[in-house]
Each structure stands twice: as C-alpha cells, then as structure tokens.
Amino acid sequence: MESPADEVKDDMVSASLGDEFIDEESYFSKSTFPIKPDALMERAKEILSPAISIGTEDGGECLADDFEFVAAVVGPIGKKEYLGALGSFNIKDSFDLNARFFGISVDPIQPNRVWFFNRVLGIHTAEFMGAAPTGKEIKYPPQTLHLDFNDDGKVKEFGFYTVDRRQGNTGGLGGAFGFMYGVGKPLPIPECQPYKRSKRFRFLNFIGSLGQKLQKKKEEKQ
C-alpha cells in the first residue's frame, strides 16, 4: 500500500537516527493539512457523538463521497454499502450500548488521521440475529480505531482493529462479529470465529519446539 498523500515525509523534518520518539510539533508544523490537531480531535468527537454516530444518524452527511470503511476482514467498502450494512444489523435496537472511547490523538505523520481506542460494553436487551434477549453483558476487547478526514472536515475513511484478543467475552472479535458471537449466533465462516491456528502453523510450531529441545540436549552433552 502506498503512503497516504497527506503523510508528512521524514526528509521534511530534521531528526537524528536512533531517537525512537519523533518531535511531533516539528511534524505538525510541516503539515499542509488545513485543520489543526486540536480542532480535528473536536471534529472527531462530534462525528462519534450519538447525534451523528459516524454517519449512521445523519444520513451519511458527515461522510465524504469517496468514503471507505475498512477493518481486519471487512472492506474496503464504499459509503452506500457501509450505511446499508450497519442499518441491516440493528445493533442499537438490540443492545444498551456504551462505546467507552478514550486515548484520542492526531497522527503527526499522517495529520488528517485521528486515532482513538474503545472498550465497547453492551447489554443484550432485544432480539438479535434470532437470539432472544438475555440481559447478557457483552464486553469487547480493546479496539484501535481511526478516522481520516478531507480538507472540508468530512470523513474519508473509518476503520478499526482488535488489539488484544484475549480480553472481553466476544472471542477476540470486534465490530458486528463480536455481538454475533456474544449472543451465540456467529456466522458460519472462519472470520466470525475466535482465532485458531491453522494445521500448518501448528505443525511449524511443533517443528520449532522440537528443534529447540534437540539443540538443548546437544548442548547438555557437550
């Protein structure tokens, strides 16, 4: 994948090799993106508010015409497909939701991108995917999310990824897949199931472990 057009190039900013943390202010000062970081984060919070909810409550008005949604196994899909897919799940009608956003920041290397995290908490209050309401508490693993904006402050890309699959009770799944798994109605495809190592990967792990054991015995004999 090519670097985003809005990315601040490293050769534009003086930095010494070996310094693991970049000088964020230097990067922002070289940015040509017209919306400054503080204003962009406020715009992101507006987009995430219940009144807009990333386009699902304002008829997609906040989304750019070339908007794309992309996640770990879904997308990229366009504006029409994104709005249609979310509307078909009726997640808000089936769960008492709290997105629990935190950790918002602007990417100094791609200054049109806002990063943030969430730990979704939902209570199953109505029928979902054929599952009767149970009152079950659905706890998501932490997810990292991003919103990319154009010069007019409209969202051109939204995406998210699970960052710790061992937490929560959705089998490590995020997005709509997490709710499906949480109520016991996952789609019958591998992408809607908890991560499981393939037979080939398990075999490679076995060979690696066996090799380490043999090497250890060899060293003990020496």
Side-chain angles (χ1 to χ4, degrees), residues 39-73:
L40 194 64
M41 286 188 286
E42 288 304 312
R43 176 58 175 159
K45 290 177 181 179
E46 181 183 9
I47 298 296
L48 296 171
S49 70
I52 297 180
S53 195
I54 320 178
T56 61
E57 297 297 328
D58 69 343
E61 180 61 28
C62 70
L63 308 179
D65 291 338
D66 60 348
F67 167 85
E68 287 187 326
F69 168 76
V70 60
V73 297

Side-chain angles (χ1 to χ4, degrees), residues 156-191:
K156 58 188 294 186
E157 182 176 304
F158 167 51
F160 64 87
Y161 301 86
T162 298
V163 294
D164 189 346
R165 58 186 171 83
R166 298 194 300 172
Q167 295 196 20
N169 61 0
T170 66
L173 301 171
F177 293 168
F179 290 111
M180 295 174 188
Y181 182 85
V183 301
K185 293 290 184 178
L187 297 178
I189 56 176
E191 291 80 2

Side-chain angles (χ1 to χ4, degrees), residues 95-171:
F95 298 88
D96 183 7
L97 295 173
N98 187 340
R100 301 199 295 181
F101 295 120
F102 65 97
I104 191 168
S105 65
V106 174
D107 190 327
I109 297 176
Q110 187 184 340
N112 73 320
R113 171 168 289 195
V114 176
W115 291 102
F116 51 100
F117 294 87
N118 73 355
R119 285 177 173 267
V120 177
L121 181 65
I123 308 297
H124 185 201
T125 58
E127 183 177 326
F128 180 68
M129 301 289 292
T134 60
K136 180 180 179 181
E137 186 176 73
I138 308 295
K139 290 184 178 180
Y140 268 52
Q143 300 179 121
T144 182
L145 307 93
H146 70 269
L147 294 169
D148 291 357
F149 292 87
N150 63 19
D151 291 1
D152 297 321
K154 290 201 171 186
V155 180
K156 58 188 294 186
E157 182 176 304
F158 167 51
F160 64 87
Y161 301 86
T162 298
V163 294
D164 189 346
R165 58 186 171 83
R166 298 194 300 172
Q167 295 196 20
N169 61 0
T170 66

